[in-house]
Amino acid sequence: MRNFKIDLGEDGIALVAFDVPGRSMNTLSDSVIADLPLLIARIRDDSAIRGVVIYSCKDTGFCAGADLGDLGRRVGTPIAPNPTPDVFRQMETCGKPIACALEGVALGGGLEFALGCHYRVAADSPKVKLGVPEVTVGLMPGAGGTQRLPRLIGVAKALPLLLEGHPVGAREALDLHIVDAIVAPGETLQAARRWAAECTDPTAPWDRKGYALPGGLPYSPAGMQTFTLANAMLHKRTYGNFPGPENVLKAVYEGVQVPMDAALRIEANYFALTFATPQARAMVHSMFLARQALAKGGEWAGKAKPPTRVAVIGAGMMGAGIAYTQAARGMETVLIDVDLAAAEKGKAHARGLVNKRVAKRRMTQVAADQLLDRITPATDYAAIGDAELVIEAVFENLDLKREVIRRIEAAAPSALVGSNTSTLPITSLSEASARPQDVVGIHFFSPVDRMELVEVIRGDSTSDEAVARAVAYAVALGKLPIVVNDSRGSFTSRCFGTYLHEGMEMLAEGVPPALIENAGRMTGMPRGPLEIADDVALDLALSVEEQTQAMLGDAYVAGPSAGLLRALVSAGRLGRKSAAGFYDYPEGGSKMLWPGLRTLPGVAADAIHPDVEECKRRLLYRQAVEAARCFDQGVVTDPRSADVGAILATGFPSWAGGPLRYIDMLGAARFVAECDAFVELFGPRFAPPPGLRHMAAEGRSYHAPAEPAEPRAIKVA
């Protein structure tokens, strides 16, 4: 065995060390899965072994579950060999007591491994995280999790863990009876060994005579209520877009009614069905493999060192959020605004965030004070002189941002200049710079402390070194950077804007607003397009539209959205911030669509009622075709960045794996044909770009299964 080492003591207790060579975390790789039958056979057949304790040699924890690198090569195929349920069942029924010592994470197959043991003891430590997160990457537990967890803690308590994928800590796991005991860190091995030496009945609860499912079977009154509510809540949350959670619910419902061996076969069947879906392939590749690679910096990883001292110009919502995030990661931060009161207000934002963390015991007061000490409010640009990076986060106005860039360079002549712009081209901004090679877009998303993505935007003159430094900075903040080339609206704002605009196009055509909003949610987008437009602020959206028109001149093509936005803003309906926009926001009540939408200039007098599926396709296809245009134009050159960026920044449905993988899922030929049909019905905004047409004609895809292209060489001074 390559991954397990056995140390048999004189008392007959075998300590089994789980240690995958060359890895910082144990996973159920193909190599580990091949070792498991050998391990179980040794435990079962060696008469000198009276009991077993399985533990990890890794500081990171017990096991993070399936190795999705190995799994990624097979996911989406109709065959999903998965021998681990049988192996864990053999372990469970070998007749010898087996305990598991948990000092860190046990997730997915790692927790299923632990559940196959007869006893689990965890460290009383925040490092301990136990859960079954498979549904978050398009899969479902397939090594006994849907059967052992409900039998152990009851269906009502197990379903939230199985359907949502959120892990629990050691104390909550004890309260739920997922673990049998918690002890001080470093004492789990000793506690597990004591139990193994004293155990006289190594039988799982469900294998004992008279076992009853906690909370009752599905046809009991409590069980009927649990499954009825779970089904309703699942469909309210997923709209049927995710096969994984649906199959989890089916596996639990059917499995808990039969003996364990039959239940594991039921789970295996549903696992295979889930494994073969295009949604599983899309989510594993985008939400895990691509996301993991990009979070390390992708092709830019290790090309530059992150800064230790950063200045932020503008202490508004975005600037304050950036300052807090930097300070939380140990960076000394100068926060500049026009007057000290405004700068102090920006620091107060950070104070509010740390106070909440202290109140919830997620941070000590000492750590909170140290974080706040790293933020220095100021008004004088002289305070930024020794900053390695200066980020401007002022209002989205070209002239203002150019003036700020000039002032930054005068005060900090060697600093990298980053612009937190979402719509203005970096090349246009860098025209104000004496050294445009050092100007780069660093686009954060709101709220900065919670949003994972950072869009690094390369202008025409931006150097490789500047890009590499910006990527290193984002990675140091714990963010996921994607690198895109310059374009008005860059990548994420261009794609995101099409969702809002298509909702307004539908409204102008006479589609009922409620149908528009519900269709948006049914696609898997976080909210309807009109609601999100209100959140963004309609006056800001109108300002962006007007600046676009001014910059494009005769090339600007007006749509109905500008007229609708202008009418709403003129009426004082600015969105959520004014309690009136596409929606009304009554004080103390729930928001509701404004009844006056039908009377806006440009909205068709007669309502039309298209098929909801057509509305859903319009909202998704409009975003996907814009992503394809960005790829065609070289705005984004890595399909992974396009997909992960759209999911994390704009909420593009994760079940589709991102806009370009969604095109692959449908097939380029089908997507092009349906877009052409939409062009005939709704206009040229749906026209596929030439590159996508060529791809469709040649039967290719964005994420080709062939060998990956060689990465572009990167030279950094």
Side-chain angles (χ1 to χ4, degrees), residues 361-444:
R361 298 184 179 180
R362 295 178 180 173
M363 174 182 274
T364 65
Q365 187 61 56
V366 171
D369 292 341
Q370 290 173 342
L371 186 156
L372 292 172
D373 286 344
R374 288 192 283 271
I375 302 175
T376 304
T379 59
D380 190 345
Y381 275 63
I384 70 174
D386 59 350
E388 300 155 79
L389 166 66
V390 182
I391 296 176
E392 67 80 10
V394 299
F395 187 72
E396 201 78 350
N397 178 277
L398 181 63
D399 292 336
L400 174 61
K401 285 181 179 287
R402 283 175 170 173
E403 174 59 25
V404 168
I405 288 172
R406 283 190 284 266
R407 294 187 66 184
I408 289 171
E409 291 186 342
S414 63
L416 179 68
V417 180
S419 174
N420 178 54
T421 180
S422 59
T423 59
L424 299 175
I426 296 302
T427 302
S428 296
L429 292 174
S430 66
E431 290 173 0
S433 170
R435 43 190 180 90
Q437 71 276 9
D438 292 332
V439 179
V440 62
I442 304 178
H443 177 206
F444 289 88

Side-chain angles (χ1 to χ4, degrees), residues 498-574:
T498 61
Y499 178 62
L500 308 189
H501 285 290
E502 193 59 27
M504 296 182 213
E505 297 270 0
M506 291 180 177
L507 178 64
E509 291 168 17
V511 179
L515 175 56
I516 298 168
E517 298 295 85
N518 285 325
R521 296 185 189 97
M522 290 170 71
T523 66
M525 291 294 291
R527 294 189 296 284
L530 305 181
E531 182 181 3
I532 294 181
D534 271 3
D535 291 343
V536 169
L538 304 186
D539 55 338
L540 176 59
L542 178 61
S543 174
V544 170
E545 191 77 16
E546 291 173 343
Q547 287 192 54
T548 302
Q549 181 178 5
M551 293 189 71
L552 295 181
D554 293 339
Y556 175 76
V557 178
S561 56
L564 292 176
L565 291 170
R566 192 168 290 110
L568 288 164
V569 171
S570 297
R573 303 186 68 87
L574 310 183

Side-chain angles (χ1 to χ4, degrees), residues 583-607:
Y583 282 74
D584 280 327
Y585 301 85
E587 187 175 350
S590 299
K591 66 178 180 293
M592 62 190 74
L593 283 160
W594 180 43
L597 291 178
R598 303 283 308 158
T599 66
L600 286 173
V603 174
D606 297 324

Side-chain angles (χ1 to χ4, degrees), residues 318-335:
M318 291 299 294
I322 295 168
Y324 165 78
T325 304
Q326 291 173 175
R329 288 282 174 158
M331 295 181 189
E332 294 295 327
T333 299
V334 176
L335 185 58

Side-chain angles (χ1 to χ4, degrees), residues 70-141:
D70 290 345
L71 204 62
R73 292 192 292 271
R74 300 188 297 271
V75 69
T77 62
I79 300 174
N82 185 23
T84 45
D86 291 338
V87 173
F88 292 159
R89 183 62 174 155
Q90 292 168 24
M91 180 173 70
E92 187 173 64
T93 58
C94 72
K96 297 179 181 180
I98 301 177
C100 185
L102 303 170
E103 288 279 347
V105 302
L107 299 172
L111 180 59
E112 291 174 294
F113 192 169
L115 292 173
C117 301
H118 303 103
Y119 185 82
R120 290 158 296 281
V121 57
D124 188 5
S125 163
K127 294 182 179 179
V128 173
K129 297 294 179 186
L130 311 180
V132 274
E134 286 89 343
V135 293
T136 64
V137 291
L139 298 172
M140 63 170 282

